[in-house]
Amino acid sequence: MRVAVLTSGGDSPGMNACIRAVVRIGLNRTCDVVGIHGGFQGILDRKFQKMDSRTVSRILHRGGTCLTTGRSEEFKTIEGTKKAARILTEEKIGGLIAIGGDGTMRGLAALQKYWDGKVIGAPGTIDNDLFGTDFSIGFDTAVNNALSAVDKIRDTGEAFSRVFLIEVMGRHSGFIALHVGISSGATAAVIPETPTDLEAIAARIIKGRELGKRSVFVIVAEGDEEGDATEISGKLSKLIGEKCRVSVLGYIQRGGNPTHSDRLLASRIGAFAIDCLLAGTTGVMAGEVNRKVILTPFEDTWAKKKEIEPWMLELMEDLSG
Ligand code: F6P
């Protein structure tokens, strides 16, 4: 069988480890493996590369993606999807593994309507917002990247007795913010999944100040109903009568060497995905739940909501002092 692999949407650390696993296991099973550059757009532009064991050397420890990525508007159209299906057939590709977030799973689901090859997704996004896997590839690294930045900002908070609002990524999900919030000792994590009570946060900050707390920081997820860190800083500054500083961590979270957890997860999921594909499975995302590899139909990955565990919310609140 000739199988292809691509990465799509936002890059995430560990994508390379996943590509490597797909390629090496595919070759072990005597497949022809093709890498597609630039995400789904790469199919339309015929950016195919024959992969061998050496093309995936020296990438396991690197962030980003050796296949490059993209968000293709053309592929999203019905004509674009049909064209991609036609090209994959012309290229005699029998199966495709795409690594990415919810947009990638939607792309695969659309492709499946017009193409009779097998399609499997692998969860690669720092946002960790896909149903069907406890953690997505790149999440752990992003949290650690954010955590090390917060630890540094804290030094200034301590030195000047300042209040910081630190914005982390996540698009519409608060997983990064909550994990960083608990692990960094933040006063609060503001996340889109729960109603944000700025007055309660302000009361906590004021109480902390009364008890001699110098460095105060609140982690703000993208997508909160109260706005981004800058908007929230305006509101909170008024409530506490003190100017809040803002630090938006941005893309620093998405880059850099993947952690051990991400390398292991990516390798396991990549190997599982290619073996499932070769066994004839299609239309699903490969993930890991409770340390076991599982398959989830594409639609469930975005239509079912991955819940924030209540103990995390409680712990966040109970530990902030
Ligand atoms: O989905 C990953 C992510 O990094 C989100 O956390 C963020 O909102 C978004 O991508 C940024 O997208 P772009 O790379 O297009 O700026």
Side-chain angles (χ1 to χ4, degrees):
M1 188 175 185
R2 192 164 147 82
V3 296
V5 56
L6 62 79
T7 49
S8 169
D11 51 288
S12 68
M15 279 183 162
N16 279 324
C18 193
I19 295 167
R20 175 177 174 271
V22 169
V23 171
R24 293 240 165 119
I25 301 290
L27 294 171
N28 290 350
R29 311 280 189 259
T30 69
C31 294
D32 271 348
V33 188
V34 171
I36 300 173
H37 288 258
F40 288 111
Q41 186 64 41
I43 305 177
L44 302 172
D45 298 339
R46 293 185 189 260
K47 291 198 173 153
F48 297 96
Q49 175 192 4
K50 184 172 167 49
M51 306 294 272
D52 60 34
S53 199
R54 295 279 65 79
T55 49
V56 290
S57 294
R58 299 188 295 274
I59 62 166
L60 173 68
H61 60 297
R62 296 230 166 102
T65 157
C66 70
L67 291 176
T68 70
T69 184
R71 292 191 171 106
S72 171
E73 288 308 316
E74 186 186 353
F75 177 78
K76 277 189 203 154
T77 64
I78 293 176
E79 299 72 45
T81 314
K82 283 183 177 168
K83 183 177 164 193
R86 203 171 57 244
I87 291 172
L88 289 170
T89 304
E90 282 166 16
E91 295 285 337
K92 301 200 167 26
I93 289 170
L96 171 67
I97 292 175
I99 309 159
D102 63 327
T104 305
M105 301 310 141
R106 286 172 203 268
L108 287 175
L111 182 63
Q112 206 184 13
K113 291 186 198 153
Y114 307 108
W115 185 50
D116 58 8
K118 312 285 180 216
V119 284
I120 293 196
T125 166
I126 63 165
D127 301 339
N128 198 33
D129 56 350
L130 287 166
F131 182 89
T133 192
D134 285 341
F135 299 106
S136 56
I137 298 162
F139 171 70
D140 186 65
T141 308
V143 168
N144 280 295
N145 285 342
L147 203 49
S148 79
V150 173
D151 289 347
K152 292 183 178 99
I153 294 167
R154 189 191 184 122
D155 289 347
T156 301
E158 203 66 57
F160 273 95
S161 191
R162 279 182 180 165
V163 178
F164 276 99
L165 292 184
I166 304 173
E167 184 177 302
V168 297
M169 279 187 166
R171 203 184 292 268
H172 306 297
S173 95
F175 286 98
I176 296 178
L178 193 54
H179 281 247
V180 171
I182 295 171
S183 316
S184 64
T187 295
V190 169
I191 59 172
E193 289 86 348
T194 56
T196 298
D197 183 348
L198 290 182
E199 289 189 358
I201 295 173
R204 228 183 286 166
I205 294 173
I206 291 166
K207 188 167 165 232
R209 283 288 194 234
E210 284 165 6
L211 295 172
K213 192 174 174 65
R214 289 182 61 82
S215 171
V216 178
F217 53 97
V218 173
I219 311 296
V220 179
E222 291 179 323
D224 189 76
E225 79 274 13
E226 288 288 348
D228 61 15
T230 307
E231 287 172 88
I232 293 178
S233 97
K235 298 176 187 172
L236 208 55
S237 296
K238 282 196 194 117
L239 289 170
I240 62 172
E242 196 183 326
K243 183 176 161 52
C244 299
R245 259 75 176 185
V246 174
S247 192
V248 179
L249 299 187
Y251 294 95
I252 197 165
Q253 294 158 90
R254 232 160 75 174
N257 301 352
T259 57
H260 143 261
S261 301
D262 273 329
R263 295 180 202 195
L264 192 62
L265 179 70
S267 302
R268 188 181 192 197
I269 289 180
F272 178 57
I274 181 84
D275 269 339
C276 290
L277 190 93
L278 296 177
T281 306
T282 189
V284 290
M285 182 189 82
E288 190 190 73
V289 171
N290 294 331
R291 301 283 287 171
K292 291 199 165 51
V293 278
I294 64 152
L295 297 168
T296 303
F298 287 139
E299 205 183 325
D300 289 355
T301 66
W302 70 80
K304 289 194 177 167
K305 182 129 184 68
K306 183 160 163 180
E307 299 296 341
I308 298 266
E309 293 167 279
W311 69 263
M312 293 203 81
L313 298 170
E314 277 165 37
L315 198 59
M316 179 70 247
E317 198 158 331
D318 291 349
L319 293 183
S320 79

Short mmCIF file of all heavy atoms in Angstrom, two decimals, residues 193-251:
data_model
loop_
_atom_site.label_atom_id
_atom_site.label_comp_id
_atom_site.label_asym_id
_atom_site.label_seq_id
_atom_site.Cartn_x
_atom_site.Cartn_y
_atom_site.Cartn_z
N GLU A 193 -14.50 28.15 29.54
CA GLU A 193 -15.45 27.07 29.89
C GLU A 193 -16.29 27.40 31.12
O GLU A 193 -17.30 26.76 31.38
CB GLU A 193 -14.70 25.76 30.18
CG GLU A 193 -14.11 25.09 28.96
CD GLU A 193 -12.72 25.61 28.60
OE1 GLU A 193 -12.32 26.64 29.16
OE2 GLU A 193 -12.07 24.99 27.75
N THR A 194 -15.84 28.37 31.92
CA THR A 194 -16.58 28.69 33.14
C THR A 194 -16.86 30.20 33.18
O THR A 194 -16.07 30.98 32.64
CB THR A 194 -15.76 28.33 34.41
OG1 THR A 194 -14.50 29.01 34.32
CG2 THR A 194 -15.52 26.85 34.53
N PRO A 195 -17.98 30.62 33.82
CA PRO A 195 -18.24 32.05 33.91
C PRO A 195 -17.14 32.74 34.71
O PRO A 195 -16.68 32.20 35.71
CB PRO A 195 -19.59 32.13 34.65
CG PRO A 195 -20.02 30.74 34.93
CD PRO A 195 -18.97 29.78 34.50
N THR A 196 -16.72 33.89 34.23
CA THR A 196 -15.62 34.59 34.90
C THR A 196 -16.18 35.66 35.84
O THR A 196 -16.94 36.52 35.41
CB THR A 196 -14.70 35.24 33.84
OG1 THR A 196 -14.17 34.19 33.04
CG2 THR A 196 -13.56 36.01 34.47
N ASP A 197 -15.81 35.57 37.10
CA ASP A 197 -16.29 36.52 38.09
C ASP A 197 -15.11 37.43 38.49
O ASP A 197 -14.32 37.11 39.39
CB ASP A 197 -16.82 35.73 39.31
CG ASP A 197 -17.42 36.64 40.37
OD1 ASP A 197 -17.22 37.87 40.27
OD2 ASP A 197 -18.07 36.11 41.29
N LEU A 198 -15.01 38.57 37.79
CA LEU A 198 -13.86 39.45 38.04
C LEU A 198 -13.88 40.04 39.44
O LEU A 198 -12.83 40.29 40.04
CB LEU A 198 -13.81 40.56 36.98
CG LEU A 198 -13.44 40.11 35.56
CD1 LEU A 198 -13.38 41.30 34.62
CD2 LEU A 198 -12.11 39.36 35.54
N GLU A 199 -15.09 40.26 39.96
CA GLU A 199 -15.16 40.82 41.33
C GLU A 199 -14.58 39.84 42.34
O GLU A 199 -13.88 40.25 43.28
CB GLU A 199 -16.60 41.18 41.67
CG GLU A 199 -17.01 42.40 40.85
CD GLU A 199 -18.35 42.99 41.24
OE1 GLU A 199 -18.99 42.44 42.15
OE2 GLU A 199 -18.71 43.99 40.61
N ALA A 200 -14.87 38.56 42.14
CA ALA A 200 -14.33 37.55 43.07
C ALA A 200 -12.81 37.48 42.95
O ALA A 200 -12.10 37.36 43.95
CB ALA A 200 -14.96 36.19 42.77
N ILE A 201 -12.31 37.60 41.72
CA ILE A 201 -10.85 37.56 41.53
C ILE A 201 -10.22 38.80 42.19
O ILE A 201 -9.19 38.71 42.88
CB ILE A 201 -10.48 37.49 40.02
CG1 ILE A 201 -10.97 36.15 39.44
CG2 ILE A 201 -8.98 37.64 39.81
CD1 ILE A 201 -10.83 36.01 37.94
N ALA A 202 -10.89 39.94 42.00
CA ALA A 202 -10.38 41.18 42.61
C ALA A 202 -10.34 41.04 44.13
O ALA A 202 -9.35 41.42 44.78
CB ALA A 202 -11.26 42.36 42.20
N ALA A 203 -11.39 40.46 44.70
CA ALA A 203 -11.45 40.30 46.16
C ALA A 203 -10.29 39.41 46.63
O ALA A 203 -9.65 39.67 47.67
CB ALA A 203 -12.79 39.68 46.57
N ARG A 204 -9.99 38.37 45.83
CA ARG A 204 -8.89 37.47 46.18
C ARG A 204 -7.55 38.20 46.13
O ARG A 204 -6.68 38.01 46.97
CB ARG A 204 -8.87 36.30 45.18
CG ARG A 204 -8.76 34.95 45.86
CD ARG A 204 -8.68 33.84 44.85
NE ARG A 204 -9.96 33.57 44.19
CZ ARG A 204 -10.08 32.83 43.10
NH1 ARG A 204 -9.02 32.32 42.50
NH2 ARG A 204 -11.25 32.60 42.57
N ILE A 205 -7.41 39.06 45.12
CA ILE A 205 -6.14 39.82 45.00
C ILE A 205 -5.98 40.77 46.18
O ILE A 205 -4.92 40.85 46.80
CB ILE A 205 -6.10 40.60 43.66
CG1 ILE A 205 -6.06 39.62 42.48
CG2 ILE A 205 -4.89 41.54 43.61
CD1 ILE A 205 -6.18 40.25 41.11
N ILE A 206 -7.07 41.47 46.51
CA ILE A 206 -7.01 42.44 47.61
C ILE A 206 -6.68 41.72 48.93
O ILE A 206 -5.84 42.16 49.71
CB ILE A 206 -8.34 43.24 47.71
CG1 ILE A 206 -8.46 44.15 46.48
CG2 ILE A 206 -8.43 44.05 49.00
CD1 ILE A 206 -9.84 44.74 46.24
N LYS A 207 -7.32 40.58 49.12
CA LYS A 207 -7.05 39.81 50.35
C LYS A 207 -5.59 39.36 50.39
O LYS A 207 -4.92 39.43 51.43
CB LYS A 207 -7.98 38.59 50.40
CG LYS A 207 -7.92 37.86 51.70
CD LYS A 207 -9.07 36.87 51.84
CE LYS A 207 -8.76 35.91 52.98
NZ LYS A 207 -8.88 34.51 52.61
N GLY A 208 -5.09 38.90 49.24
CA GLY A 208 -3.69 38.48 49.15
C GLY A 208 -2.75 39.62 49.51
O GLY A 208 -1.78 39.45 50.24
N ARG A 209 -3.06 40.80 49.00
CA ARG A 209 -2.24 41.99 49.31
C ARG A 209 -2.25 42.26 50.81
O ARG A 209 -1.20 42.54 51.40
CB ARG A 209 -2.81 43.22 48.58
CG ARG A 209 -2.47 43.27 47.09
CD ARG A 209 -1.01 43.60 46.90
NE ARG A 209 -0.69 43.97 45.54
CZ ARG A 209 0.26 43.40 44.81
NH1 ARG A 209 0.95 42.38 45.29
NH2 ARG A 209 0.53 43.83 43.60
N GLU A 210 -3.42 42.16 51.41
CA GLU A 210 -3.52 42.40 52.85
C GLU A 210 -2.66 41.42 53.65
O GLU A 210 -2.14 41.73 54.70
CB GLU A 210 -4.98 42.29 53.31
CG GLU A 210 -5.81 43.52 52.92
CD GLU A 210 -7.31 43.26 53.04
OE1 GLU A 210 -7.72 42.17 53.53
OE2 GLU A 210 -8.08 44.15 52.62
N LEU A 211 -2.54 40.22 53.09
CA LEU A 211 -1.75 39.19 53.78
C LEU A 211 -0.27 39.25 53.40
O LEU A 211 0.50 38.35 53.71
CB LEU A 211 -2.32 37.80 53.46
CG LEU A 211 -3.74 37.54 53.97
CD1 LEU A 211 -4.28 36.22 53.43
CD2 LEU A 211 -3.75 37.50 55.51
N GLY A 212 0.09 40.27 52.63
CA GLY A 212 1.51 40.47 52.31
C GLY A 212 1.98 39.84 51.01
O GLY A 212 3.17 39.70 50.78
N LYS A 213 1.03 39.44 50.17
CA LYS A 213 1.42 38.80 48.90
C LYS A 213 1.98 39.84 47.95
O LYS A 213 1.35 40.86 47.71
CB LYS A 213 0.17 38.13 48.30
CG LYS A 213 0.45 37.21 47.15
CD LYS A 213 -0.84 36.51 46.75
CE LYS A 213 -0.71 35.66 45.51
NZ LYS A 213 0.18 34.53 45.66
N ARG A 214 3.16 39.60 47.38
CA ARG A 214 3.80 40.58 46.51
C ARG A 214 3.51 40.28 45.03
O ARG A 214 2.95 41.08 44.32
CB ARG A 214 5.31 40.61 46.75
CG ARG A 214 5.68 41.24 48.10
CD ARG A 214 7.18 41.30 48.28
NE ARG A 214 7.85 42.10 47.26
CZ ARG A 214 7.95 43.43 47.30
NH1 ARG A 214 7.42 44.11 48.30
NH2 ARG A 214 8.59 44.07 46.35
N SER A 215 3.89 39.09 44.58
CA SER A 215 3.71 38.77 43.16
C SER A 215 2.33 38.17 42.94
O SER A 215 2.01 37.12 43.50
CB SER A 215 4.77 37.77 42.74
OG SER A 215 4.47 37.31 41.46
N VAL A 216 1.53 38.87 42.18
CA VAL A 216 0.17 38.36 41.90
C VAL A 216 0.05 38.18 40.39
O VAL A 216 0.34 39.10 39.63
CB VAL A 216 -0.91 39.38 42.37
CG1 VAL A 216 -2.30 38.88 42.02
CG2 VAL A 216 -0.79 39.63 43.86
N PHE A 217 -0.36 37.00 39.97
CA PHE A 217 -0.58 36.85 38.53
C PHE A 217 -1.80 35.98 38.27
O PHE A 217 -2.11 35.04 38.99
CB PHE A 217 0.67 36.34 37.80
CG PHE A 217 1.26 35.10 38.39
CD1 PHE A 217 0.97 33.87 37.84
CD2 PHE A 217 2.13 35.17 39.46
CE1 PHE A 217 1.51 32.71 38.37
CE2 PHE A 217 2.69 34.01 40.00
CZ PHE A 217 2.38 32.79 39.46
N VAL A 218 -2.48 36.38 37.20
CA VAL A 218 -3.69 35.69 36.76
C VAL A 218 -3.43 35.19 35.34
O VAL A 218 -2.93 35.95 34.51
CB VAL A 218 -4.90 36.67 36.77
CG1 VAL A 218 -6.14 36.04 36.16
CG2 VAL A 218 -5.18 37.15 38.20
N ILE A 219 -3.75 33.93 35.09
CA ILE A 219 -3.55 33.37 33.74
C ILE A 219 -4.86 33.52 32.97
O ILE A 219 -5.93 33.10 33.45
CB ILE A 219 -3.15 31.87 33.80
CG1 ILE A 219 -2.00 31.63 34.80
CG2 ILE A 219 -2.82 31.36 32.42
CD1 ILE A 219 -0.69 32.29 34.47
N VAL A 220 -4.77 34.12 31.80
CA VAL A 220 -5.98 34.37 30.99
C VAL A 220 -5.91 33.54 29.71
O VAL A 220 -4.95 33.64 28.95
CB VAL A 220 -6.06 35.87 30.61
CG1 VAL A 220 -7.29 36.14 29.75
CG2 VAL A 220 -6.07 36.75 31.86
N ALA A 221 -6.94 32.73 29.50
CA ALA A 221 -7.00 31.94 28.26
C ALA A 221 -7.58 32.80 27.15
O ALA A 221 -8.37 33.72 27.41
CB ALA A 221 -7.90 30.73 28.48
N GLU A 222 -7.22 32.51 25.91
CA GLU A 222 -7.89 33.14 24.78
C GLU A 222 -9.37 32.72 24.82
O GLU A 222 -9.68 31.62 25.26
CB GLU A 222 -7.30 32.63 23.45
CG GLU A 222 -5.89 33.10 23.19
CD GLU A 222 -5.35 32.54 21.88
OE1 GLU A 222 -5.65 31.38 21.53
OE2 GLU A 222 -4.59 33.25 21.21
N GLY A 223 -10.22 33.59 24.35
CA GLY A 223 -11.62 33.21 24.17
C GLY A 223 -12.53 33.40 25.37
O GLY A 223 -13.68 32.97 25.35
N ASP A 224 -12.04 34.05 26.42
CA ASP A 224 -12.90 34.25 27.60
C ASP A 224 -13.96 35.32 27.32
O ASP A 224 -13.71 36.27 26.57
CB ASP A 224 -12.08 34.66 28.82
CG ASP A 224 -12.93 34.65 30.08
OD1 ASP A 224 -13.20 33.55 30.58
OD2 ASP A 224 -13.36 35.73 30.53
N GLU A 225 -15.13 35.17 27.93
CA GLU A 225 -16.23 36.12 27.66
C GLU A 225 -15.94 37.53 28.17
O GLU A 225 -16.54 38.50 27.72
CB GLU A 225 -17.57 35.58 28.21
CG GLU A 225 -17.79 35.74 29.72
CD GLU A 225 -17.22 34.62 30.56
OE1 GLU A 225 -16.42 33.81 30.04
OE2 GLU A 225 -17.55 34.54 31.77
N GLU A 226 -15.00 37.67 29.11
CA GLU A 226 -14.65 39.02 29.61
C GLU A 226 -13.63 39.72 28.72
O GLU A 226 -13.25 40.86 28.98
CB GLU A 226 -14.12 38.94 31.05
CG GLU A 226 -15.17 38.62 32.09
CD GLU A 226 -16.14 39.79 32.36
OE1 GLU A 226 -15.88 40.91 31.91
OE2 GLU A 226 -17.16 39.53 33.01
N GLY A 227 -13.14 39.00 27.70
CA GLY A 227 -12.20 39.61 26.77
C GLY A 227 -10.79 39.06 26.92
O GLY A 227 -10.58 38.09 27.66
N ASP A 228 -9.85 39.68 26.19
CA ASP A 228 -8.46 39.19 26.28
C ASP A 228 -7.78 39.81 27.51
O ASP A 228 -8.40 40.58 28.26
CB ASP A 228 -7.70 39.46 24.98
CG ASP A 228 -7.61 40.94 24.65
OD1 ASP A 228 -7.88 41.77 25.54
OD2 ASP A 228 -7.28 41.27 23.49
N ALA A 229 -6.51 39.51 27.69
CA ALA A 229 -5.82 39.97 28.89
C ALA A 229 -5.82 41.50 29.00
O ALA A 229 -5.96 42.05 30.10
CB ALA A 229 -4.38 39.43 28.90
N THR A 230 -5.70 42.18 27.87
CA THR A 230 -5.67 43.65 27.90
C THR A 230 -7.02 44.20 28.37
O THR A 230 -7.08 45.09 29.23
CB THR A 230 -5.31 44.20 26.51
OG1 THR A 230 -4.09 43.57 26.09
CG2 THR A 230 -5.13 45.70 26.51
N GLU A 231 -8.10 43.65 27.82
CA GLU A 231 -9.43 44.11 28.24
C GLU A 231 -9.66 43.81 29.72
O GLU A 231 -10.17 44.65 30.48
CB GLU A 231 -10.51 43.43 27.41
CG GLU A 231 -10.59 43.94 25.98
CD GLU A 231 -11.56 43.08 25.17
OE1 GLU A 231 -12.76 43.40 25.16
OE2 GLU A 231 -11.10 42.10 24.56
N ILE A 232 -9.29 42.61 30.12
CA ILE A 232 -9.52 42.22 31.52
C ILE A 232 -8.66 43.06 32.45
O ILE A 232 -9.09 43.44 33.54
CB ILE A 232 -9.27 40.70 31.71
CG1 ILE A 232 -10.34 39.92 30.95
CG2 ILE A 232 -9.27 40.31 33.18
CD1 ILE A 232 -10.22 38.42 31.00
N SER A 233 -7.46 43.43 31.99
CA SER A 233 -6.60 44.23 32.87
C SER A 233 -7.23 45.58 33.17
O SER A 233 -7.14 46.08 34.29
CB SER A 233 -5.20 44.38 32.26
OG SER A 233 -5.08 45.58 31.59
N GLY A 234 -7.91 46.16 32.16
CA GLY A 234 -8.60 47.44 32.37
C GLY A 234 -9.66 47.30 33.45
O GLY A 234 -9.75 48.11 34.38
N LYS A 235 -10.46 46.24 33.34
CA LYS A 235 -11.56 46.03 34.29
C LYS A 235 -11.01 45.73 35.69
O LYS A 235 -11.49 46.27 36.69
CB LYS A 235 -12.44 44.87 33.82
CG LYS A 235 -13.12 45.13 32.48
CD LYS A 235 -13.89 43.89 32.03
CE LYS A 235 -14.42 44.07 30.62
NZ LYS A 235 -15.02 42.85 30.06
N LEU A 236 -10.02 44.87 35.74
CA LEU A 236 -9.48 44.45 37.04
C LEU A 236 -8.74 45.58 37.73
O LEU A 236 -8.81 45.73 38.96
CB LEU A 236 -8.56 43.22 36.83
CG LEU A 236 -8.42 42.25 37.98
CD1 LEU A 236 -9.77 41.73 38.46
CD2 LEU A 236 -7.54 41.07 37.57
N SER A 237 -8.01 46.38 36.94
CA SER A 237 -7.27 47.51 37.53
C SER A 237 -8.23 48.41 38.30
O SER A 237 -7.92 48.88 39.41
CB SER A 237 -6.57 48.33 36.44
OG SER A 237 -5.60 47.54 35.81
N LYS A 238 -9.41 48.67 37.70
CA LYS A 238 -10.42 49.53 38.37
C LYS A 238 -10.90 48.87 39.66
O LYS A 238 -11.04 49.53 40.69
CB LYS A 238 -11.61 49.75 37.44
CG LYS A 238 -11.34 50.79 36.37
CD LYS A 238 -12.63 51.27 35.73
CE LYS A 238 -12.28 52.02 34.45
NZ LYS A 238 -12.79 51.40 33.25
N LEU A 239 -11.14 47.58 39.59
CA LEU A 239 -11.69 46.88 40.76
C LEU A 239 -10.71 46.82 41.93
O LEU A 239 -11.11 46.88 43.09
CB LEU A 239 -12.12 45.46 40.38
CG LEU A 239 -13.37 45.34 39.48
CD1 LEU A 239 -13.53 43.91 38.98
CD2 LEU A 239 -14.62 45.74 40.27
N ILE A 240 -9.43 46.69 41.63
CA ILE A 240 -8.46 46.55 42.73
C ILE A 240 -7.76 47.87 43.05
O ILE A 240 -7.00 47.96 44.02
CB ILE A 240 -7.41 45.44 42.46
CG1 ILE A 240 -6.56 45.78 41.23
CG2 ILE A 240 -8.06 44.08 42.31
CD1 ILE A 240 -5.37 44.83 41.03
N GLY A 241 -7.97 48.88 42.21
CA GLY A 241 -7.34 50.18 42.44
C GLY A 241 -5.83 50.13 42.27
O GLY A 241 -5.08 50.84 42.93
N GLU A 242 -5.39 49.27 41.36
CA GLU A 242 -3.95 49.11 41.13
C GLU A 242 -3.77 48.75 39.66
O GLU A 242 -4.57 47.99 39.10
CB GLU A 242 -3.48 47.93 42.01
CG GLU A 242 -2.01 47.83 42.20
CD GLU A 242 -1.64 46.58 43.03
OE1 GLU A 242 -2.40 46.19 43.95
OE2 GLU A 242 -0.61 46.01 42.75
N LYS A 243 -2.72 49.29 39.04
CA LYS A 243 -2.52 49.03 37.62
C LYS A 243 -2.03 47.59 37.39
O LYS A 243 -1.06 47.15 38.01
CB LYS A 243 -1.48 50.01 37.07
CG LYS A 243 -1.22 49.90 35.59
CD LYS A 243 -0.24 51.00 35.17
CE LYS A 243 0.45 50.75 33.86
NZ LYS A 243 -0.37 50.45 32.74
N CYS A 244 -2.72 46.87 36.50
CA CYS A 244 -2.28 45.50 36.17
C CYS A 244 -1.40 45.55 34.93
O CYS A 244 -1.70 46.26 33.97
CB CYS A 244 -3.48 44.60 35.86
SG CYS A 244 -4.63 44.41 37.20
N ARG A 245 -0.32 44.78 34.91
CA ARG A 245 0.52 44.65 33.71
C ARG A 245 0.07 43.45 32.91
O ARG A 245 -0.42 42.46 33.49
CB ARG A 245 1.97 44.41 34.13
CG ARG A 245 2.85 45.61 34.05
CD ARG A 245 2.57 46.54 35.18
NE ARG A 245 3.48 47.68 35.16
CZ ARG A 245 3.51 48.60 36.10
NH1 ARG A 245 2.68 48.54 37.12
NH2 ARG A 245 4.35 49.60 36.02
N VAL A 246 0.25 43.55 31.60
CA VAL A 246 -0.19 42.45 30.72
C VAL A 246 1.02 41.84 30.01
O VAL A 246 1.90 42.56 29.54
CB VAL A 246 -1.18 42.98 29.67
CG1 VAL A 246 -1.53 41.90 28.65
CG2 VAL A 246 -2.44 43.49 30.34
N SER A 247 1.03 40.54 29.92
CA SER A 247 2.06 39.87 29.13
C SER A 247 1.37 38.78 28.31
O SER A 247 0.75 37.87 28.86
CB SER A 247 3.10 39.27 30.07
OG SER A 247 4.21 38.86 29.33
N VAL A 248 1.45 38.93 26.98
CA VAL A 248 0.83 37.94 26.08
C VAL A 248 1.93 36.99 25.61
O VAL A 248 2.85 37.42 24.91
CB VAL A 248 0.14 38.64 24.88
CG1 VAL A 248 -0.49 37.62 23.94
CG2 VAL A 248 -0.90 39.64 25.37
N LEU A 249 1.83 35.72 25.98
CA LEU A 249 2.95 34.81 25.69
C LEU A 249 3.03 34.42 24.22
O LEU A 249 4.11 34.21 23.68
CB LEU A 249 2.87 33.57 26.57
CG LEU A 249 2.92 33.83 28.08
CD1 LEU A 249 3.01 32.52 28.84
CD2 LEU A 249 4.08 34.74 28.47
N GLY A 250 1.91 34.30 23.55
CA GLY A 250 1.90 34.08 22.09
C GLY A 250 2.62 32.83 21.63
O GLY A 250 2.61 31.80 22.29
N TYR A 251 3.31 32.98 20.49
CA TYR A 251 3.83 31.81 19.78
C TYR A 251 4.98 31.11 20.48
O TYR A 251 5.33 30.00 20.10
CB TYR A 251 4.24 32.21 18.36
CG TYR A 251 3.04 32.63 17.56
CD1 TYR A 251 2.68 33.96 17.46
CD2 TYR A 251 2.22 31.67 16.97
CE1 TYR A 251 1.55 34.35 16.77
CE2 TYR A 251 1.08 32.04 16.29
CZ TYR A 251 0.75 33.38 16.18
OH TYR A 251 -0.38 33.74 15.52
#
